[in-house]
Amino acid sequence: MKKLLLFVLFIGIYFPIKAQTFKFPVDTLVKTGPLQRRINAVILPDGYTEAELAKFKTDANTFINYLLKTSPFDKYNPYFSFFTVMVPSAESGITHPGNATDESTTNPQPVETKNTFFGTSFDIGKIHRLVSYTKSANLTNVLATNFPAYDIVFVIANTTYYGGAGGFAATFTLNGSSNEIGVHELGHSFA
């Protein structure tokens, strides 16, 4: 066993396995100054196909405008810059496994699995409205490869059903309350 571990260590040192890197276009939406002197927010799409990336950019700008008019952010606008990394998904929409116990029966959401870049899904922890990405390696790789100077990360999930989550990345959907959800989740992620 010891020899096997030494062999694996030797192979890893002399023939390192390269992680796949994902290079995508970066768009500057709002830049208020030098990156090292600003809070840099990166907004990522999930569940937007290549053909829907223009819609994503509109959705991101709508959110930014709302955020920057919301207290206390309205007092700190000059300190925030916003960028997008244009990451397409193979399919439109996000996954809904249908395994949450608290899902509404009056407006049930279809159960479906979507092939998205970050694997964003409803029913995280069996709580229907808890929406988050499931492919963490893809998320961190995209950030490290395309915009390593990030301070805040948002993921906009391309669905009109209500949901979101805080954490490493503030995730939210395009529900009628989506801008409020995004600001709320930012509180969990940033504060």
Side-chain angles (χ1 to χ4, degrees), residues 22 44 117-118 133 135-148 150 168:
F22 301 109
L44 302 170
F117 197 84
F118 299 115
Y133 56 91
K135 297 177 182 175
S136 300
N138 283 4
L139 188 98
T140 55
N141 186 308
V142 164
L143 292 167
T145 302
N146 297 279
F147 199 89
Y150 69 89
F168 176 77

Side-chain angles (χ1 to χ4, degrees), residues 9-126:
L9 180 63
F10 172 79
I11 294 297
I13 291 171
Y14 288 99
F15 303 102
I17 298 170
K18 281 193 160 186
Q20 185 175 5
T21 57
F22 301 109
K23 190 76 176 146
F24 298 103
V26 175
D27 273 348
T28 302
L29 302 181
V30 175
K31 187 171 182 195
T32 58
L35 296 180
Q36 65 274 17
R37 299 183 53 85
R38 296 297 180 268
I39 298 169
N40 301 307
V42 175
I43 305 174
L44 302 170
D46 204 27
Y48 290 84
T49 63
E50 185 78 42
E52 295 172 314
L53 288 177
K55 177 188 178 308
F56 160 69
K57 193 169 178 180
T58 300
D59 295 339
N61 276 310
T62 299
F63 172 68
I64 291 166
N65 290 332
Y66 182 87
L67 175 70
L68 293 178
K69 292 177 184 169
T70 303
S71 181
F73 304 104
D74 57 344
K75 295 173 184 61
Y76 298 99
N77 288 358
Y79 300 103
F80 284 88
S81 291
F82 293 88
F83 306 86
T84 60
V85 181
M86 303 303 272
V87 182
S89 287
E91 291 184 279
S92 182
I94 66 168
T95 295
H96 174 233
N99 61 5
T101 57
D102 64 340
E103 187 169 356
S104 169
T105 55
T106 58
N107 184 23
Q109 181 180 349
V111 172
E112 54 192 346
T113 301
K114 296 290 187 166
N115 181 8
T116 66
F117 197 84
F118 299 115
T120 302
S121 178
F122 283 92
D123 301 351
I124 301 296
K126 298 198 187 238

